[in-house]
Amino acid sequence: MSTVTHPRFAARRSSAKAATWWGRAWVRAVEEAAFSEGDLKRGRQLARGGAVGAISVSAGRVVAAVVERDDAWTVTIAVPELEADSVDAFVEVVAAEAGRIAALVSGELPHTLVEHAEEAGVELLPYGGELAADCNCDHWTPPCPHALAVLTQFAWLVDADPFALLGLRGLARDELLARLHELGGAGTQDGNLEEEADLDSAADAVRRARELLLESGDGAS
């Protein structure tokens, strides 16, 4: 999977928490990973204040710079990628119901999809122990507040587009669509290009609306 770089989030005045159930699941993992409440609070302050630069996401890896006072720190987050058999299982779970790929492309992550994936042995949403953080600051234990700021903002990315999570787990959007096409399911068969274009347009509209909410802070809970 190639690296996808997401533009910097504007500062926001309201809560740093996520708006969707899957975004909140990511936030819970971040809370589990945090060593102290003080570190978590400072990380959220940095995230809300717009201290995190552009976030680059590739398979198993998130990288971003965080500016604090006169210093800039580089944060790298590592998350386990799905094994090949898990990717196969997840693709089959998505293909099992035609509406699932439409939901994903439209910016939704159906709870039943995640449940059925777990039943197939695929853990899509990480837990705290899977979030490995590295920063070149001198904080005494990871994850430092800079890493927690990046992790917090990644929840906002996942809120707006579940494919950010899938990409981090090693399954890019184009790869998933190609695999579904090979299986001949989920509306990706030949002759359905117009439907795919409609889904892309819907996804763009959803993402634009959510980006506006994230910038204003109204989309947080």
Side-chain angles (χ1 to χ4, degrees):
M1 172 188 164
S2 60
T3 299
V4 177
T5 300
H6 301 268
R8 181 177 186 168
F9 281 97
R12 55 194 291 182
R13 294 185 297 275
S14 59
S15 169
K17 293 188 177 181
T20 61
W21 76 264
W22 58 90
R24 288 191 291 272
W26 178 274
V27 170
R28 284 195 297 274
V30 175
E31 292 170 346
E32 292 171 0
F35 187 81
S36 73
E37 186 64 31
D39 288 346
L40 186 60
K41 181 178 180 180
R42 181 56 185 155
R44 288 172 173 169
Q45 289 172 340
L46 290 168
R48 288 197 306 270
V52 180
I55 298 177
S56 296
V57 182
S58 56
R61 181 181 172 95
V62 176
V63 179
V66 180
V67 175
E68 186 177 24
R69 300 184 183 90
D70 295 328
D71 296 313
W73 310 103
T74 301
V75 172
T76 301
I77 308 295
V79 176
E81 297 178 50
L82 296 177
E83 300 289 343
D85 57 347
S86 293
V87 171
D88 292 342
F90 183 76
V91 171
E92 291 178 1
V93 169
V94 175
E97 292 187 14
R100 287 177 171 171
I101 187 59
L104 286 171
V105 173
S106 297
E108 301 293 329
L109 183 60
H111 202 282
T112 55
L113 170 57
V114 175
E115 286 182 337
H116 291 169
E118 289 177 352
E119 291 171 1
V122 183
E123 296 289 341
L124 189 61
L125 291 160
Y127 58 87
E130 290 185 304
L131 304 179
D134 181 68
C135 180
N136 60 348
C137 72
D138 58 1
H139 194 70
W140 68 288
T141 185
C144 65
H146 310 117
L148 291 168
V150 175
L151 287 165
T152 296
Q153 286 205 359
F154 190 78
W156 305 351
L157 291 177
V158 172
D159 253 350
D161 185 3
F163 278 106
L165 174 63
L166 292 176
L168 178 60
R169 286 298 209 179
L171 182 57
R173 178 183 184 278
D174 289 347
E175 180 185 353
L176 175 58
L177 293 176
R179 294 283 296 274
L180 290 169
H181 181 83
E182 291 173 1
L183 289 176
T188 59
Q189 296 175 347
D190 292 338
N192 285 321
L193 295 180
E194 183 176 346
E195 180 181 350
E196 290 185 39
D198 290 342
L199 289 175
D200 287 341
S201 297
D204 289 340
V206 169
R207 278 195 282 270
R208 285 196 298 270
R210 285 184 170 170
E211 284 169 4
L212 290 173
L213 288 175
L214 289 171
E215 289 175 3
S216 67
D218 295 336
S221 61

